[in-house]
Amino acid sequence: MHKATAETVALGEHDTPSSYHEADLDHWSRRPKKTESQPIFALARAFRPYWERNAMRPFNAGRYDPATKQNKATAVDAIHLIGQKLDPDMTRARVVTVMRVI
């Protein structure tokens, strides 16, 4: 915060207030966009070390079972159960999508 304050106050010879505004807008447009799955990503990343240390099964999305039309993975079930306590509308499919990325 100190650095940002110094940058906005100390205008150089060729700098104008509008150039700082444009730089801020450029920085804002390049930031990572938030998605609905970010809280699930955070939960899965936080839970992963505990899972890998204590579980016998791998920490992944598992294989797809056509009979149940779901991925079979205990890790997905565990994260889904924890996530539903925080957000009752969380779907298992969103957890599977996050687990595929991780």
Side-chain angles (χ1 to χ4, degrees):
M1 189 159 136
H2 229 354
K3 183 179 176 185
T5 305
E7 286 177 1
T8 57
V9 174
L11 293 176
E13 214 173 285
H14 303 289
D15 295 328
T16 62
S18 64
S19 67
Y20 282 107
H21 178 71
E22 289 172 16
D24 284 343
L25 288 177
D26 184 48
H27 176 71
W28 178 260
S29 66
R30 285 186 283 124
R31 80 190 190 295
K33 306 299 187 253
K34 294 193 177 190
T35 64
E36 289 183 0
S37 297
Q38 276 186 329
I40 303 169
F41 271 108
L43 173 63
R45 282 190 201 108
F47 188 65
R48 184 177 190 164
Y50 300 105
W51 180 269
E52 289 175 344
R53 187 172 49 237
N54 298 310
M56 303 288 285
R57 299 185 181 259
F59 187 78
N60 61 20
R63 67 174 181 80
Y64 182 75
D65 183 19
T68 60
K69 297 185 179 177
Q70 288 186 345
N71 288 50
K72 285 189 171 184
T74 311
V76 171
D77 293 334
I79 291 174
H80 186 235
L81 286 173
I82 294 168
Q84 277 190 319
K85 297 289 184 185
L86 303 171
D87 179 13
D89 298 331
M90 181 185 299
T91 62
R92 191 174 190 279
R94 279 185 30 204
V95 176
V96 170
T97 302
V98 166
M99 293 295 286
R100 284 186 184 144
V101 173
I102 290 180

